[in-house]
């Protein structure tokens, strides 16, 4: 049996943007998989702890006897095992650019988005919003360069950077709703605003993008639990 | 003579820059070495070619700048494919394992090492030391899995994880001396100790290994600069 025919499982949660990346990648490749829902607020499952002992986080991809962790590493793995409908560009320089912005999103941009929701004090909140907006302007410019006039960062199809960034749209919309600020807007990020709609309507994405209302409720519940947890 | 338009903007002391140079040596690619002085204000070239992070290394190939050392390594591996040396393995699962452990070095191990240097209190440093030592034990385990009995994480030859971790060995030694501890110890991580010797002696590595005393001296100056930048202003 070819490796690509072995059973595929995804361990994750509906609310996690990182898990969504993996599921979109599998959808793009038309690969069937079993989704194992973790209930993280009830404690981590045996399977999670066993398959990701280093980080104990979702997503985890289980492919036959192999487990792969870290969403962007999983997406690249999926792209390499199932080479049809490529996710990463073929040109090495374009690949490096896609990887650069994906790392920026994970290491700088998303933490600053989360910081808005967790900010205690108006000054801290304003600073966090400023950082997110600054990041979005950089990404607007990157979109112009990567898309070369086409619909997506990946040009005519959704690709690595679309998936990396697009999966944060749910949480971006929740943050907009809770802060009352349109972070993606006509004035500063007109191209990204249109791209966001196209991304969410893509066939590989639309059944996976959580509803903003549902996600906002979930965020409130999470925040309640975090605040209730006693700290030493 | 350097291959046309291949340049590395960096410094002798940076492990991240060292990674790029090792990769180029493995691929037998000649390059122009442009030194950035970390103790001076950032150069025009740096600010222009890496406006997002303003950090070294920056790799130039055919006038295009590429930033972030692990991304540069993958780029080099994908461009210079005729070389017998590959940096990432060819099997997708093994590639994912290499990426995972290199990310672990950068996202978990290196930050702990950094906290050990700039930790404000004795307690902070103690906690950071425990994390670093735990990290070495985890990496010892990873070495066992990835090397499959051979000399390197990459097997017979150095690869992605070897370069990611090996480039930190100079600093690990300097920081260890400051803490009066062997951070990579015979007792806890005997395989890593052996691996470190093999890595340091490798053809592609030995000419870019920094002198430990010179690094220690530089480290003191850099630490002072970092602490000054982190100090609260009135």
């Amino acid at each position: 049996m070819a490796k690509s025919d072995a059973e595929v499982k995804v361990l994750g949660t509906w609310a996690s943007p990182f898990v969504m990346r993996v599921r979109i990648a599998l959808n793009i490749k038309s690969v069937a998989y079993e989704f194992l829902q973790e209930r993280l607020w009830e404690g981590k499952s045996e399977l999670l702890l066993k398959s990701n002992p280093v980080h104990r986080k979702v997503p985890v991809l289980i492919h036959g006897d192999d487990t792969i962790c870290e969403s962007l590493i999983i997406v690249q793995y999926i792209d390499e095992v199932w080479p049809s409908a490529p996710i990463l560009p073929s040109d090495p320089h374009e690949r490096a650019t896609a990887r650069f912005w994906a790392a920026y999103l994970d290491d700088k941009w998303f933490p600053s988005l989360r910081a808005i929701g967790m900010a205690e004090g108006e000054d801290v909140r304003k600073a966090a919003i400023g950082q997110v907006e600054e990041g979005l302007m950089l990404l607007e410019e990157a979109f112009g360069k990567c898309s070369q006039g086409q619909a997506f960062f990946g040009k005519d199809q959704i690709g690595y950077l679309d998936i990396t960034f697009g999966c944060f749209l749910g949480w971006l919309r929740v943050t907009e709703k809770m802060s009352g600020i349109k972070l993606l807007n006509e004035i500063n990020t007109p191209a990204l605003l249109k791209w966001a709609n196209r991304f969410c309507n893509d066939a590989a994405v639309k059944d996976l993008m959580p509803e903003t209302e549902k996600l906002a409720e979930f965020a409130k519940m999470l925040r309640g639990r975090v605040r209730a947890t006693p700290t030493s | 003579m350097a291959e046309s338009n291949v340049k590395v903007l960096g410094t002798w002391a940076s492990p991240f820059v060292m990674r790029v140079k090792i990769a180029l040596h493995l691929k037998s690619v000649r390059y122009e070495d442009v030194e950035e002085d970390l103790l001076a204000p950032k150069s025009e070239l740096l600010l222009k070619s890496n406006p997002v992070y303003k950090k070294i290394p920056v790799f130039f190939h055919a006038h295009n700048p590429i930033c972030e050392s692990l991304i540069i390594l993958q780029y080099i591996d994908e461009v210079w494919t005729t070389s017998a040396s590959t940096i990432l393995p060819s099997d997708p699962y093994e590639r994912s394992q290499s990426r995972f452990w290199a990310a672990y070095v950068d996202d978990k191990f290196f930050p702990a090492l950094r906290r050990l240097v700039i930790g404000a209190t004795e307690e902070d440093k103690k906690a950071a030391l425990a994390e670093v030592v735990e990290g070495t034990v985890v990496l010892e385990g990873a070495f066992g899995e990835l090397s499959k009995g051979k000399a390197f994480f990459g097997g017979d030859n150095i690869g992605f994880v070897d370069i990611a971790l090996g480039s930190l060995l100079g600093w690990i030694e300097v920081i260890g001396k400051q803490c009066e501890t062997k951070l990579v110890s015979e007792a806890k991580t005997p395989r890593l100790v052996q691996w470190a010797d093999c890595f340091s002696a490798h053809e592609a590595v030995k000419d870019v290994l920094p002198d430990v005393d010179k690094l220690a001296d530089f480290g003191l100056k850099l630490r002072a600069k970092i602490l000054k930048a982190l100090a609260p202003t009135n």
Side-chain angles (χ1 to χ4, degrees):
Chain A
M1 176 176 75
K3 180 66 196 288
S4 52
D5 292 331
E7 211 179 25
V8 180
K9 295 184 191 169
V10 176
L11 192 55
T13 64
W14 65 271
S16 160
F18 306 101
V19 172
M20 204 191 327
R21 291 171 176 174
V22 173
R23 299 175 78 184
I24 292 173
L26 290 168
N27 284 353
I28 288 172
K29 305 289 187 173
S30 303
V31 171
Y33 63 93
E34 188 187 348
F35 182 55
L36 302 171
Q37 179 96 246
E38 267 298 300
R39 293 162 125 69
L40 292 176
W41 54 93
E42 287 173 14
K44 302 183 183 201
S45 72
E46 269 302 303
L47 181 61
L48 176 58
L49 296 174
K50 196 180 127 198
S51 54
N52 191 356
V54 176
H55 300 298
R56 304 188 195 111
K57 284 180 172 177
V58 293
V60 178
L61 182 79
I62 302 170
H63 184 204
D65 293 327
D66 296 331
T67 46
I68 300 108
C69 307
E70 298 294 281
S71 65
L72 295 182
I73 293 176
I74 298 171
V75 169
Q76 291 180 85
Y77 172 83
I78 290 168
D79 204 29
E80 291 165 9
V81 171
W82 292 279
S84 67
I87 292 172
L88 268 156
S90 52
D91 172 71
H93 188 253
E94 286 179 17
R95 288 160 78 87
T97 303
R99 286 180 175 133
F100 175 87
W101 288 112
Y104 171 80
L105 281 156
D106 277 7
D107 299 342
K108 290 265 172 298
W109 190 80
F110 187 60
S112 60
L113 184 72
R114 292 182 71 193
I116 297 175
M118 300 194 296
E120 313 231 342
E122 195 47 38
D123 281 346
V124 181
R125 209 179 77 101
K126 274 199 172 138
I129 290 171
Q131 277 199 13
V132 169
E133 287 178 329
E134 206 183 290
L136 287 172
M137 307 266 271
L138 285 177
L139 290 158
E140 173 87 1
E141 201 190 320
F143 179 77
K145 291 194 180 138
C146 295
S147 65
Q148 292 179 7
Q150 296 185 66
F152 301 107
F153 285 92
K155 302 205 194 102
D156 60 346
Q157 310 262 38
I158 62 169
Y160 190 70
L161 194 44
D162 299 279
I163 296 170
T164 304
F165 188 14
C167 289
F168 285 140
L169 288 169
W171 285 103
L172 177 70
R173 284 165 179 170
V174 166
T175 308
E176 287 181 328
K177 188 179 152 79
M178 283 159 77
S179 67
I181 299 181
K182 283 233 155 283
L183 295 162
L184 275 186
N185 57 67
E186 266 305 326
I187 300 169
N188 295 327
T189 58
L192 284 184
L193 193 57
K194 294 195 186 96
W195 161 83
N197 284 330
R198 287 194 295 266
F199 179 80
C200 293
N201 286 319
D202 187 274
V205 176
K206 54 181 205 272
D207 294 335
L208 296 172
M209 186 61 72
E211 284 165 26
T212 309
E213 273 305 320
K214 197 178 170 197
L215 208 55
E217 276 304 308
F218 180 75
K220 278 195 195 126
M221 183 203 70
L222 267 186
R223 221 196 281 181
R225 273 171 200 272
V226 167
R227 294 224 167 111
T229 309
T231 47
S232 48
Chain B
M1 190 172 79
E3 192 172 303
S4 67
N5 303 318
V6 182
K7 230 169 24 181
V8 178
L9 176 59
T11 178
W12 64 273
S14 161
F16 305 101
V17 172
M18 195 179 151
R19 291 171 175 180
V20 176
K21 293 181 177 176
I22 293 172
L24 291 167
H25 294 171
L26 274 176
K27 298 285 190 177
S28 305
V29 174
R30 286 201 154 101
Y31 57 94
E32 188 191 337
D33 198 348
V34 182
E35 185 79 14
E36 176 80 16
D37 183 357
L38 287 190
L39 301 173
K42 301 187 188 219
S43 69
E44 269 304 302
L45 180 61
L46 177 58
L47 297 175
K48 198 176 133 205
S49 59
N50 191 355
V52 176
Y53 295 111
K54 307 179 180 84
K55 283 182 174 178
I56 48 161
V58 181
F59 181 67
F60 296 87
H61 181 219
H63 307 294
N64 289 320
I66 296 158
C67 308
E68 297 296 282
S69 63
L70 295 183
I71 293 177
I72 297 170
L73 252 51
Q74 292 180 84
Y75 176 84
I76 290 170
D77 207 27
E78 289 164 10
V79 169
W80 285 279
T81 51
T82 53
S83 163
S85 298
T86 55
I87 294 170
L88 272 166
S90 50
D91 173 72
Y93 176 65
E94 288 176 14
R95 288 161 76 83
S96 74
Q97 295 300 90
S98 293
R99 286 179 173 131
F100 177 88
W101 287 110
Y104 176 86
V105 170
D106 276 5
D107 300 340
K108 289 265 172 298
F109 186 70
F110 178 72
L113 205 56
R114 195 167 186 266
R115 280 195 293 276
L116 188 50
V117 176
I118 62 173
T121 64
E122 273 314 301
E123 236 181 77
D124 289 338
K125 291 193 187 215
K126 217 175 153 191
L129 180 59
E131 266 189 68
V132 168
V133 172
E134 194 191 305
T136 63
V137 174
V138 170
L139 288 162
E140 172 90 356
F143 181 78
E145 264 179 59
L146 266 60
S147 64
K148 301 191 178 75
K150 308 253 172 103
F152 301 108
F153 284 91
D156 286 318
N157 204 354
I158 63 173
F160 200 60
V161 184
D162 297 280
I163 300 172
L165 182 59
S167 56
L168 296 178
L169 287 169
W171 282 108
I172 288 173
E173 197 179 330
V174 166
I175 295 165
K177 279 191 173 148
Q178 275 178 13
C179 302
E180 291 164 6
T181 320
K182 267 203 166 294
L183 296 175
V184 178
S185 69
E186 194 52 62
K188 290 197 151 101
T189 56
R191 285 190 281 199
L192 281 187
V193 170
Q194 229 184 348
W195 162 81
D197 286 338
C198 293
F199 179 82
S200 303
H202 193 281
E203 266 309 304
V205 174
K206 58 193 205 308
D207 295 336
V208 284
L209 267 184
D211 173 81
V212 173
D213 291 325
K214 200 178 164 197
L215 205 60
D217 186 59
F218 177 80
L220 288 172
K221 295 189 179 116
L222 189 62
R223 183 170 177 271
K225 188 181 180 211
I226 294 173
L227 289 178
K228 195 172 168 198
L230 287 176
T233 48
N234 293 327

